[in-house]
Amino acid sequence: MLILGIETSCDDTSAAVVEDGKIIKSNIVSSQDEIHTQYGGIVPELASRKHIEMIWPVVDKALSTANASLSDLSAIAFSYGPGLIGSLLVGVCFSKSLSLVHSLPLVAVNHLEGHIFSAFLESSPSFPFLALIVSGGHTSMYIIRDFNKYEEIGRTRDDAAGEAYDKVAKLLGFGYPGGPIIDNLAISGDPEAISFPRALIRDSLDFSFSGLKTSVLTYTRKNPDAKKEDIAASFQAAVVDVLVQRSLEACKAKGIDRIVLSGGVSANSLLRKSVADAAEGAALEVYLPSKRLCTDNAAMIAAAGYHHFRRGNISNFSLNPKAYVHLGSAHG
Ligand code: KG4
Ligand code: ZN
């Protein structure tokens, strides 16, 4: 069964053809980094305009790379939220039009659910597991008990981890996205050079990264000659410490022994190594999607869509994109 996935929730236009929720026939991602880098962050209006320009060429390329035509498809799965409303609107309207013209069923997928399902493209984690989603828009932990049984147990109270990376890169004078830049810079820095705060909120599994970001800002103002590599490495150590510590705490508190990492920040080299090391010490299984599947892509949307479609979870034409929507909410 072939599903066409469509993802336009933020700044990447992506389309993918995935067979049986597992075999990636194509996964085309058209990045807008070049447009947004000069602003140090995403400009929503520019993002939606670029999606309009790219959506058809990207879908066309996904189909031709997969050697498939629209008549070979069983359904179209698309992200309907959360995300930037103008960006989502492009993917939702495009999917509805394609569905109408080619009589293809529509499957609405929560973008966060897509991130979790990126792990299922390369492995088959058993339930239950802890899902840590760390991206530019979200930093949350869920207990995933089964398909469609998602319990949020912690979330950021302010900035997402990726947002903190992007803002720190910007204040150090770098472009967007900041995560890969800081990740690279940190390799030649000393993670113990500066002791940045680790926010571990008491009696909660929530996160907070805005204090850390402010701390980096204050430090760089007071120490204009400090090595950027040391700032990057010390900042990264603080983010990763908190993410790893909280994940292990959550597993212990909830009696879970599997962790699935997802979202753009899970491409981070230190996070991947630290989670793997910590999990080994705590006898936990870890699932790390390959880096290209951590950041936004449509294969993960097609994978999640496949599981909904098999369960008859079809969406209707009255569905509208949603900028804010909790994972586990009913589809529109
Ligand atoms: O999942 P994603 O592509 O989009 C959202 O759903 O937000 O995540 C993008 C975020 C950006 O903030 C970017 O800086 C961050 O993921 N990111 C990284 C790395 N690669 C991407 N953060 C840290 N290290 C990386 N290697
Ligand atoms: Zn994402």
Side-chain angles (χ1 to χ4, degrees), residues 9-12 111-112 115 134-138 161-166 176-183 236 262-269 291 294-297 300:
S9 68
C10 196
D11 61 332
D12 292 310
H111 177 77
L112 300 176
H115 274 303
V134 262
S135 71
H138 298 88
E163 193 180 352
Y165 266 97
D166 296 335
Y176 173 88
I181 299 169
I182 301 270
D183 195 354
Q236 178 161 280
S262 64
V265 181
S266 57
N268 184 266
S269 45
K291 292 187 181 184
C294 290
T295 44
D296 287 350
N297 67 88
M300 68 185 197

Side-chain angles (χ1 to χ4, degrees), residues 11 26 41 64 68 71 74 76 86 107 121 168 173-175 220 247 286 299 305 321 328:
D11 61 332
S26 63
S64 61
S71 58
S74 296
I76 302 169
V107 183
L121 286 161
V168 165
F174 299 110
T220 47
S247 305
V286 177

Side-chain angles (χ1 to χ4, degrees), residues 10-11 32-47 84 136 162-163 165-171 174-178 181:
C10 196
D11 61 332
Q32 300 182 4
D33 289 353
E34 233 173 78
I35 297 171
H36 303 290
T37 193
Q38 57 189 304
Y39 304 102
I42 297 164
V43 182
E45 178 61 24
L46 297 182
L84 299 172
E163 193 180 352
Y165 266 97
D166 296 335
K167 287 178 176 169
V168 165
K170 187 176 179 181
L171 72 87
F174 299 110
Y176 173 88
I181 299 169

Side-chain angles (χ1 to χ4, degrees), residues 130 141 143 153 199-207 241-256 259 278 282 284:
L130 176 88
M141 287 190 293
I143 302 295
I153 56 163
L200 290 164
I201 300 158
R202 219 180 277 170
D203 300 326
S204 158
L205 289 168
D206 283 351
F207 301 96
D241 265 3
V242 171
L243 292 173
V244 173
Q245 202 171 317
R246 280 272 120 126
S247 305
L248 293 196
E249 261 176 65
C251 285
K252 200 169 169 201
K254 303 287 176 184
I256 300 286
I259 303 179
L284 300 169

Side-chain angles (χ1 to χ4, degrees), residues 191-192 194-201 208 212 233-242 245:
E192 289 173 7
I194 310 149
S195 173
F196 287 127
R198 273 82 169 145
L200 290 164
I201 300 158
S208 167
L212 170 61
S234 302
F235 158 77
Q236 178 161 280
V239 174
V240 170
D241 265 3
V242 171
Q245 202 171 317

